[in-house]
């Protein structure tokens, strides 16, 4: 079956599914809309963690065991920085630095984040379209029992330890969707919109907070399917389950479905949680993506569910 596939994604969990989609449909048919709420300035550099995770994962450059950064990375820059008493809570490998320097240079020359991202995707021959959710700055902040924290301070420096009370996306109200985002969602040729199993509160909500994106999703013709980040009553990695508890929610697919109410038509859930009793359309499969075959299987199951919904 042909047609365009749109996927909303954060970093690690999302990139696994996007890689799966690339195994089951032509990359040229795929448009990934990526969270940029984690983006920040560090040592003067523009860093876009979720876009970078996608670029590294899809090009085979990611350090999968570590869960961030590049495979075979070297650390001369970081060693030199430490010797100068530079801030060292955020690690920047030498190869990773090349991306941040080039992106920062392009932005300083008046180019957009979209243009920088497209340049990297083209340089690495990825085939698919990778669109930031917005070219405008949107910054996720978490208010925690340890005070208000910009996202990377919470996520990297504090390792998600503080209890989260609320989350906000600074700048979202003034932001515009990046070129191509609304068009992709509304394109009559789009046959499925998939929300990756990224953290719904920290990775997908920032995308939905950009004015126009939620509205376009509400008005779209294509079926919208989310892949649940819950596997066996837990999150596979990261703070999703802890965060759900702190927000007073059970770590259940019901809570995920309720969170996406009005946005999704159906939810793909893991076989370990199948007995939960969901009252929205859903399908069940093993959603744990360890191998490339797993990624392809989950991608295919999400597209099959979308096709079922479309009737
Ligand atoms: P980040 O932006 O790098 O933190 O990553 P994401 O937000 O894209 O993904 C984090 C979420 O992905 C977590 O909630 C995990 O539960 C989920 N996740 C990671 N791997 C898998 C997997 O193999 N299967 C499923 N269903 N969810 C996964």
């Amino acid at each position: 079956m042909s047609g365009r596939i749109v996927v909303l994604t954060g970093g690690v969990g999302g990139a696994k599914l996007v890689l799966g989609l690339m195994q089951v449909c032509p990359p040229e048919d795929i448009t990934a809309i990526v969270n940029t709420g984690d983006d920040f300035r560090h040592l003067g550099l523009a860093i876009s963690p979720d876009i970078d995770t996608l670029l590294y994962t899809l090009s085979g450059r990611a350090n999968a065991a570590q869960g961030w950064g590049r495979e075979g990375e070297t650390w001369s820059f970081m060693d030199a920085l430490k010797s100068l008493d530079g801030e060292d809570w955020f690690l920047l490998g030498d190869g990773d630095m090349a991306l941040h320097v080039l992106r920062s240079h392009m932005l300083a020359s008046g180019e957009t984040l979209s243009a920088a991202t497209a340049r990297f995707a083209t340089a690495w021959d990825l085939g698919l379209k990778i669109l930031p959710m917005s070219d405008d700055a949107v910054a996720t902040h978490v208010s925690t029992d340890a005070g208000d924290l910009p996202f990377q301070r919470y996520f990297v420096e504090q390792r998600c330890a503080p209890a989260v009370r609320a989350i906000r996306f600074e700048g979202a109200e003034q932001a515009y969707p990046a070129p191509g985002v609304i068009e992709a969602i509304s394109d009559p040729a789009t046959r499925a919109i998939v929300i990756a199993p990224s953290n719904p509160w920290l990775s997908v909500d920032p995308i939905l907070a950009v004015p126009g994106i939620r509205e376009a999703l509400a008005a779209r013709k294509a079926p919208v399917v989310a892949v649940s980040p819950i596997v066996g009553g837990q999150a596979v990695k990261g703070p999703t389950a802890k965060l759900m508890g702190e927000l007073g929610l059970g770590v259940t697919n019901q809570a995920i479905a309720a969170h996406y109410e009005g946005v999704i038509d159906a939810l793909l859930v893991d076989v370990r949680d199948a007995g939960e009793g969901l009252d929205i359309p859903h399908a069940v499969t093993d959603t744990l993506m360890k191998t490339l075959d797993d990624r392809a299987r989950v991608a295919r199951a999400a597209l099959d569910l979308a096709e079922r919904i479309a009737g």
Side-chain angles (χ1 to χ4, degrees), residues 8 12 16 36-37 80 128 177 242 249:
L8 273 54
V12 177
K16 289 183 188 174
T36 58
L128 82 167
K242 177 174 176 282
L249 301 166

Side-chain angles (χ1 to χ4, degrees), residues 8-17 35 38 49-50 53-54 67-68 151 155 196-204 227-231 234-241 244 256 268-270 286-291 294-295 298:
L8 273 54
T9 178
V12 177
K16 289 183 188 174
L17 183 76
N35 170 41
D38 300 5
D50 285 357
T53 296
L54 218 58
W68 55 270
F151 181 76
F155 195 71
S198 294
N199 186 314
W201 288 267
L202 292 171
S203 295
V204 181
V227 179
S228 176
I230 308 285
V231 175
Q234 294 175 354
V236 178
K237 103 174 220 316
T240 307
M244 289 177 83
I256 302 291
L268 181 65
V269 302
D270 187 77
D286 180 348
T287 70
L288 195 56
M289 296 178 277
K290 288 188 181 149
T291 64
D294 294 337
R295 288 159 170 73
V298 175

Side-chain angles (χ1 to χ4, degrees), residues 5 13 19 23 27 55 60 62 82 84 88 101 111 126 130 139 163 169 194 204 243 248 261 273 282-283 303-305:
I5 307 292
L19 190 56
Q23 313 308 306
L55 288 167
K82 281 183 202 164
L84 293 165
D88 64 356
V101 167
E111 296 200 56
L126 296 184
I130 303 180
F169 310 113
V194 182
V204 181
L243 182 75
E261 200 183 334
D273 307 299
H282 60 281
L303 296 180
D304 287 349
L305 179 57

Side-chain angles (χ1 to χ4, degrees), residues 5-155:
I5 307 292
V6 177
V7 53
L8 273 54
T9 178
V12 177
K16 289 183 188 174
L17 183 76
V18 180
L19 190 56
L21 287 167
M22 289 173 74
Q23 313 308 306
V24 301
C25 35
E28 298 70 37
D29 288 354
I30 302 171
T31 300
I33 301 173
V34 189
N35 170 41
T36 58
D38 300 5
D39 291 18
F40 72 127
R41 284 257 163 201
H42 184 57
L43 304 173
L45 298 170
I47 300 183
S48 297
D50 285 357
I51 289 176
D52 297 348
T53 296
L54 218 58
L55 288 167
Y56 293 152
T57 304
L58 304 183
S59 69
R61 287 175 170 80
N63 185 331
Q66 188 172 258
W68 55 270
R70 296 171 63 136
E71 190 66 60
E73 188 63 283
T74 56
W75 299 96
S76 298
F77 169 80
M78 215 59 219
D79 291 343
L81 186 76
K82 281 183 202 164
S83 79
L84 293 165
D85 266 344
E87 265 184 78
D88 64 356
W89 62 273
F90 194 85
L91 298 179
L92 292 162
D94 298 333
D96 197 25
M97 277 296 285
L99 197 82
H100 305 318
V101 167
L102 198 50
R103 174 168 42 224
S104 306
H105 175 67
M106 288 180 76
L107 295 178
S109 314
E111 296 200 56
T112 60
L113 182 59
S114 295
T117 307
R119 173 175 173 169
F120 302 146
T122 303
W124 288 345
D125 228 356
L126 296 184
L128 82 167
K129 266 202 183 97
I130 303 180
L131 306 178
M133 65 191 201
S134 177
D135 282 333
D136 304 316
V138 176
T140 300
H141 282 251
V142 280
S143 77
T144 73
D145 57 2
D148 187 85
L149 296 170
F151 181 76
Q152 295 300 335
R153 292 274 175 187
Y154 161 75
F155 195 71

Side-chain angles (χ1 to χ4, degrees), residues 202-222:
L202 292 171
S203 295
V204 181
D205 274 2
I207 304 177
L208 301 177
V210 177
I213 296 186
R214 191 182 276 276
E215 293 75 2
L217 284 167
R220 47 64 204 185
K221 294 238 159 43

